[in-house]
Amino acid sequence: MKFFFYADNLNPSQLKRRAPEHKFLFTAYLPDHSVQFCRWSTQWRCGLASVVPSPGEKVWGAVFEITDEDLKILDEFENDVPQGAYRHLPVTVITEEGEKLLVTTHAANPIGKFKPKEHYIDWVLKGLKQWKLPEECIEQWKAYKPA
């Protein structure tokens, strides 16, 4: 299955634990969406990122091939915060070459607006740099850091 990751699951340490058989395919963006912090994480003690519809905006990430077993492990982690907090969402991403592709991603069932913390953003940034996401993506995530 082709899966689009856009936040903390891009961090190589986390990705290895949650989708051990993953294979990087390419970077891409999700058009007409933005990142919002609409779930609370007891692990991170801050808001967790999710994609939400937002006309004219885009969310960069990376598409990976993952196995059924990877998806099962991912879902177990996502359901820890709490069960049912995240759902699978079919989305069309656009590659850097302009090709459109239907993939799956996780999106939160929003419960409010929360602030991310610096350690969470730094964790995400490590993943963005690992997969060589565009500078505009890195700058966008840096802007989420608390002032």
Side-chain angles (χ1 to χ4, degrees):
M1 151 185 282
K2 289 179 177 51
F3 208 93
F4 178 72
F5 293 112
Y6 54 85
D8 49 305
N9 282 328
L10 283 170
N11 181 289
S13 301
Q14 186 162 312
L15 188 58
K16 192 171 192 164
R17 279 195 317 273
R18 296 185 179 189
E21 298 180 55
H22 70 272
K23 289 187 178 69
F24 172 80
L25 298 177
F26 48 82
T27 59
Y29 67 87
L30 177 58
D32 297 319
H33 283 76
S34 64
V35 169
Q36 286 188 2
F37 301 90
C38 55
R39 293 295 310 194
W40 178 258
S41 169
T42 51
Q43 174 197 344
W44 289 100
R45 309 291 307 147
C46 69
L48 282 181
S50 180
V51 289
V52 295
S54 185
E57 297 195 57
K58 62 183 167 187
V59 175
W60 279 96
V63 175
F64 293 81
E65 185 69 40
I66 64 170
T67 65
D68 290 344
E69 186 61 27
D70 286 338
L71 186 61
K72 188 174 156 199
I73 296 166
L74 270 168
D75 286 347
E76 286 171 9
F77 276 104
E78 299 299 348
N79 281 333
D80 281 346
V81 287
Q83 186 158 3
Y86 283 81
R87 66 194 186 284
H88 296 167
L89 186 67
V91 294
T92 300
V93 296
I94 301 175
T95 68
E96 291 187 85
E97 291 77 34
E99 181 185 345
K100 293 181 179 181
L101 188 68
L102 183 64
V103 298
T104 302
T105 196
H106 276 125
N109 293 313
I111 59 167
K113 290 186 177 182
F114 304 95
K115 297 244 186 262
K117 290 195 175 164
E118 189 166 347
H119 64 279
Y120 175 76
I121 300 298
D122 287 343
W123 183 261
V124 174
L125 286 167
K126 186 175 180 184
L128 301 179
K129 291 171 184 171
Q130 165 75 25
W131 306 111
K132 298 178 175 47
L133 284 152
E135 193 59 35
E136 73 177 270
C137 173
I138 291 166
E139 291 305 314
Q140 184 178 33
W141 276 92
K142 284 180 181 176
Y144 296 141
K145 282 189 177 188

